[in-house]
Amino acid sequence: MKYTSQDFKSDQEVRWCPGCGDHAVLASVLKAMPEVCEELNIDKENIVFVSGIGCSSRFPYYMNTYGFHSIHGRATAISTGVKVANPKLSVWQATGDGDALAIGGNPFIHAIRRNIDLNIILFNNRIYGLTKGQYSPTSKKGIVTKTSPYGSIEEPFVPGALVLGARGTFFARSLDSELKLNQEIMVQAAKHKGTSIMEMLVNCVIFNDGTHQEFAERSVRADRTITLRHGEPMIFGANRDKGLVLDGLQLKVVTIGENGVTEKDILVHDAKSDDKLPIHTMLANMKYPDYPVALGVIRDVEDSTYDENVHNQVAEVKEKADAAITAIMESEAFQSKLNPAVEQAKERANTVTKAVYAAIGDTVTFVLTATLPNNVSEYDTYKVVFHDTMSAGLTYTNNVKI
């Protein structure tokens, strides 16, 4: 079936503040979902959105898919259970910098470490918005908030560095207003087998307005950000005249045409090679003004997934158990004890007039018809069920009810 973005839009009123960056991310998701279904060859009934607590966690209400609005910090745990229980589902998670990196930090990093096939959208506005403006794990050092009236003294998390430190296999970053890039990232994340982390730098107009403005403002964005795409040179700038090179073991910003630098000297982005983890980490750590802020898919490498490994292990254990049971049942020792027991049972069933063996698949069902003494007349019915496949009605000689 061919879907449109309207097929994924729910009938619920969107209750984010006017101007909130979450609106743009929702629009990106709605545009991406039809392509996701096409690429994965799935129906929208196989898509699930899970969230925790926070402004962004209202997300499942606004999607016309299955959804689960869970509890604070536990969205990743719920998402893990959904995916492991039904690996055919495409599981998406909406979470904030507080929900995922503070109370939810433990489930978050272990999902990444396990490489569970989840698509996690991390809304990073560097503040607790729903609880009215407390500093979060990604808030800038020195920020004055209700819980840091003299300025925060903490160094913030860099989500990309955290993801790659846990050896994440997919990390991407974008701005809330980059709808086309966001859609591109989300489709790549859906196709990736493993934990896909998409950091969306969103603006909170009420409690942390302009937190990303120094590089996200459209008038300066081209010079202060770099959009990375696999296989393309790391070039940026309004005039496409700046690039990244390796200077020893460090990245360096250069200007093409100066000091003999040509486009051939510029690094080509390789998101697919696991051995590029050090460069991926350096890219994720780049901060303005020393470097452009990296956007796009920074890392996208293949590895086995936790959910696949769980189901493969269960299948392997069942296969070994079945083989062991078969070996026991076919053993001489087992047969020597089984056959006499069967004969004894036949002798004791002196009221049985007929025994029919019906083979159904691999299960043998015994269908018994018995003639009972007259003293069972006080019973209306008498039924015996063997296994779960067939039952035998026993015929009485008095007051018969079948």
Side-chain angles (χ1 to χ4, degrees):
M1 180 176 176
K2 198 80 171 178
Y3 294 109
T4 67
S5 60
Q6 291 300 310
D7 293 318
F8 293 89
K9 188 176 182 180
S10 80
D11 60 358
Q12 297 298 298
E13 176 189 359
V14 180
R15 295 188 176 185
W16 293 318
C17 301
C20 173
D22 292 5
H23 288 282
V25 178
L26 174 61
S28 300
V29 172
L30 291 172
K31 287 180 177 293
M33 284 300 110
E35 190 174 351
V36 167
C37 287
E38 185 175 349
E39 289 286 343
L40 301 184
N41 193 26
I42 60 174
D43 296 326
K44 75 184 186 75
E45 287 76 17
N46 286 329
I47 292 179
V48 179
F49 274 84
V50 179
S51 67
I53 295 296
C55 293
S56 63
S57 290
R58 294 194 60 80
F59 213 91
Y61 297 103
Y62 307 142
M63 297 298 300
N64 185 22
T65 64
Y66 287 108
F68 195 125
H69 189 183
S70 69
I71 58 177
H72 203 195
R74 297 300 179 263
T76 310
I78 299 295
S79 299
T80 297
V82 171
K83 184 62 183 183
V84 174
N86 190 346
K88 295 180 181 179
L89 297 177
S90 178
V91 181
W92 294 73
Q93 180 181 324
T95 186
D97 44 298
D99 186 53
L101 303 181
I103 188 172
N106 190 285
F108 181 76
I109 60 173
H110 287 294
I112 297 167
R113 177 181 65 84
R114 291 168 174 147
N115 200 35
I116 304 163
D117 192 11
L118 305 174
N119 306 298
I120 301 177
I121 304 173
L122 175 60
F123 293 69
N124 184 5
N125 58 12
R126 297 174 170 173
I127 201 76
Y128 281 101
L130 186 66
T131 50
K132 308 301 183 284
Q134 298 81 13
Y135 76 96
S136 81
T138 58
S139 294
K140 291 181 180 179
K141 187 175 182 179
I143 187 173
V144 175
T145 71
K146 293 175 181 177
T147 47
S148 56
Y150 304 107
S152 169
I153 58 173
E154 299 180 12
E155 292 290 344
F157 266 141
V158 177
L162 185 67
V163 171
L164 300 183
R167 297 198 60 82
T169 56
F170 186 103
F171 177 72
R173 182 192 290 132
S174 189
L175 302 171
D176 49 15
S177 56
E178 290 282 359
L179 270 66
K180 187 175 180 181
L181 177 60
N182 296 347
Q183 183 178 344
E184 180 183 319
I185 287 171
M186 290 165 185
V187 172
Q188 290 188 54
K191 293 163 64 176
H192 175 77
K193 295 297 183 183
T195 307
S196 301
I197 306 296
M198 296 159 275
E199 181 189 11
M200 294 290 146
L201 303 178
V202 298
N203 190 41
C204 176
V205 293
I206 305 300
F207 297 108
N208 204 16
D209 193 21
T211 184
H212 307 296
Q213 187 172 3
E214 59 184 357
F215 57 85
E217 178 68 34
R218 196 163 293 276
S219 62
V220 299
R221 188 179 302 173
D223 287 318
R224 298 179 183 181
T225 65
I226 180 171
T227 300
L228 301 170
R229 288 184 173 89
H230 176 70
E232 296 185 9
M234 300 183 191
I235 295 175
F236 67 102
N239 299 319
R240 301 289 293 167
D241 60 347
K242 295 182 177 63
L244 296 175
V245 298
L246 267 180
D247 183 14
L249 297 177
Q250 299 296 321
L251 291 174
K252 181 181 178 181
V253 177
V254 296
T255 301
I256 299 171
E258 292 184 2
N259 302 317
V261 175
T262 68
E263 189 172 323
K264 291 182 179 179
D265 298 314
I266 305 302
L267 287 172
V268 174
H269 184 44
D270 183 357
K272 302 289 187 178
S273 296
D274 190 34
D275 59 5
K276 298 294 184 181
L277 178 60
I279 292 182
H280 297 161
T281 303
M282 285 189 283
L283 291 169
N285 275 320
M286 291 194 307
K287 298 178 182 178
Y288 177 79
D290 297 324
Y291 294 97
V293 174
L295 306 178
V297 177
I298 295 173
R299 181 172 169 84
D300 181 6
V301 301
E302 294 184 3
D303 202 352
S304 62
T305 67
Y306 178 87
D307 34 293
E308 285 182 345
N309 292 339
V310 166
H311 284 268
N312 290 340
Q313 186 180 68
V314 169
E316 182 181 345
V317 171
K318 288 176 67 177
E319 184 179 353
K320 290 180 179 178
D322 290 344
I325 291 171
T326 299
I328 291 172
M329 294 182 67
E330 293 177 351
S331 67
E332 184 177 344
F334 184 84
Q335 292 294 330
S336 66
K337 293 183 179 180
L338 176 64
N339 291 334
V342 171
E343 292 301 323
Q344 291 176 14
K346 288 181 179 180
E347 291 177 5
R348 291 171 182 167
N350 53 15
T351 60
V352 176
T353 60
K354 187 177 181 182
V356 179
Y357 296 82
I360 303 176
D362 294 331
T363 305
V364 176
T365 302
F366 294 80
V367 182
L368 306 178
T369 302
T371 301
L372 302 181
N374 290 337
N375 60 4
V376 298
S377 60
E378 65 269 30
Y379 295 99
D380 288 329
T381 60
Y382 194 92
K383 179 182 275 190
V384 179
V385 179
F386 296 86
H387 306 291
D388 289 317
T389 54
M390 214 177 241
S391 62
L394 302 188
T395 304
Y396 314 127
T397 59
N398 196 11
N399 293 339
V400 175
K401 182 177 180 180
I402 299 177

